[in-house]
Amino acid sequence: MSHQLKTIIIGLGNPVLSDDGVGVQIVRLVQQEMASEQGYCFAEGALGGLNLMERLVGFEHAVIVDAFITGQRQPGSVIACELEELPDTLHTWSSHDTTLTVAMELGRIIGLVLPTSIRIWGIEVRNVDTFGERFSQDVETAIPGVVREVVAYLRGCETS
């Protein structure tokens, strides 16, 4: 990894499980939008917890985009938060792993260099069990706005 890369942007999800792939799709679009800009590492993944924490080692900042199922919001709703405010999601915890928050604490205890800021965008989704590369309409509609927010955030603009 180049020392010039200070920020990692990770899209989580499985791109062939309908709405579950929305984080991956958004990060791909952000990468296209920022193709001429340097200092960013773009990545995709399907695992959370310890595996996700290991991917963050060596970066100063991180942006994570994922599909969320909170059951408290309408599909297509966007959640933007810092790691400390993270609601439970499909990819940040599993019965065979730990939460990303706990993984980050463990990583710091053992001396790993981890991001000082982690910004998360989540899109409330409906369908993560059907094979297919199409998103439900509410999720599809949310994508352009999240891409704009992430790009603005990365370029140093305030987002809400």
Side-chain angles (χ1 to χ4, degrees):
M1 171 179 56
S2 167
H3 292 290
Q4 296 175 354
L5 299 177
K6 297 182 185 229
T7 302
I8 186 167
I9 302 95
I10 301 176
L12 295 179
N14 185 333
V16 297
L17 283 179
S18 56
D19 289 350
D20 191 51
V22 70
V24 172
Q25 177 64 20
I26 288 169
V27 168
R28 288 175 181 172
L29 294 169
V30 169
Q31 185 174 14
Q32 289 174 8
E33 179 78 21
M34 300 187 72
S36 64
E37 299 179 42
Q38 297 181 350
Y40 301 102
C41 175
F42 293 88
E44 299 175 9
L47 299 172
L50 294 169
N51 287 297
L52 180 53
M53 179 272 297
E54 289 174 350
R55 189 65 181 96
L56 301 176
V57 172
F59 290 95
E60 293 178 17
H61 309 284
V63 169
I64 299 170
V65 185
D66 196 4
F68 282 16
I69 298 179
T70 66
Q72 300 172 353
R73 295 174 175 82
Q74 292 297 317
S77 299
V78 178
I79 303 161
C81 63
E82 300 301 316
L83 176 63
E84 299 77 23
E85 306 164 334
L86 182 67
D88 289 334
T89 70
L90 291 179
H91 290 137
T92 58
W93 180 87
S94 84
S95 60
H96 304 289
D97 203 345
T98 187
T99 66
L100 179 57
T101 303
V102 170
M104 295 295 289
E105 291 172 12
L106 292 171
R108 287 190 175 100
I109 288 169
I110 63 171
L112 298 176
V113 176
L114 292 164
T116 56
S117 68
I118 299 176
R119 184 77 175 161
I120 297 169
W121 270 266
I123 299 81
E124 185 82 19
V125 298
R126 175 187 321 257
N127 182 359
V128 296
D129 299 320
T130 303
F131 284 103
E133 296 181 21
R134 296 191 57 110
F135 302 110
S136 60
Q137 185 58 49
D138 294 331
V139 172
E140 181 78 34
T141 301
I143 291 173
V146 177
V147 170
R148 283 191 301 274
E149 284 185 35
V150 173
V151 168
Y153 176 80
L154 291 170
R155 290 181 173 155
C157 299
E158 283 193 40
T159 60
S160 58

